[in-house]
Amino acid sequence: QVQLVESGGGLVQAGGSLTLSCEASGNILSINSMGWYRQAPGKQRELVASVSGRGTRTYADSVKGRFTIDREYGKALVNLRMISLKPEDTAVYYCNVDGTHDNHDAMNLWGKGTLVTVSS
């Protein structure tokens, strides 16, 4: 089995910063990508940022220039550094890992989510 452990959510004032972390552990053969999605009340879940196994980073237009995603390959860990936070960034943030189990089965896992609240 593979476990995802998320951390770093919380309450912050507009203009502030937070860093979210997600670490995957367990029976992992390889990882194609790791990323963060978010879902605000009444809205669909959307991609915030992801990083591929080759290091290619993808960002939502709304967070470009404010959020940075980095992966620590030795630990299967991904960090999302968020600065200049806005009230519209308020959402539950979910970690996602896409890859392969060590039994060669495909794997796409979601974390339980961590709440980020940005007050105005």
Side-chain angles (χ1 to χ4, degrees), residues 70-115:
D70 284 305
R71 184 180 159 190
E72 296 184 28
Y73 287 85
K75 294 183 178 181
L77 185 149
V78 64
N79 295 311
L80 182 68
R81 171 72 173 167
M82 306 182 292
I83 65 171
S84 303
L85 282 161
K86 304 175 181 179
E88 51 263 44
D89 293 318
T90 295
V92 178
Y93 284 69
Y94 297 91
C95 179
N96 176 263
V97 177
D98 184 86
T100 305
H101 284 291
D102 61 3
N103 64 1
H104 300 277
D105 286 344
M107 168 183 75
N108 189 284
L109 300 177
W110 292 92
K112 295 181 179 179
T114 184
L115 178 62

Side-chain angles (χ1 to χ4, degrees), residues 5-109:
V5 177
E6 301 163 321
S7 62
L11 173 64
V12 65
Q13 289 187 333
S17 62
L18 283 174
T19 297
L20 306 182
S21 295
C22 172
E23 185 169 8
S25 62
N27 301 329
I28 301 171
L29 177 63
S30 63
I31 293 178
N32 299 322
S33 66
M34 297 185 71
W36 286 93
Y37 290 70
R38 67 186 180 188
Q39 187 167 18
K43 295 188 177 181
Q44 290 187 334
R45 190 174 297 187
E46 63 175 0
L47 172 69
V48 177
S50 66
V51 56
S52 74
R54 295 186 176 186
T56 301
R57 293 168 174 78
T58 302
Y59 295 97
D61 288 342
S62 60
V63 307
K64 285 180 180 177
R66 300 188 298 121
F67 291 12
T68 303
I69 190 166
D70 284 305
R71 184 180 159 190
E72 296 184 28
Y73 287 85
K75 294 183 178 181
L77 185 149
V78 64
N79 295 311
L80 182 68
R81 171 72 173 167
M82 306 182 292
I83 65 171
S84 303
L85 282 161
K86 304 175 181 179
E88 51 263 44
D89 293 318
T90 295
V92 178
Y93 284 69
Y94 297 91
C95 179
N96 176 263
V97 177
D98 184 86
T100 305
H101 284 291
D102 61 3
N103 64 1
H104 300 277
D105 286 344
M107 168 183 75
N108 189 284
L109 300 177

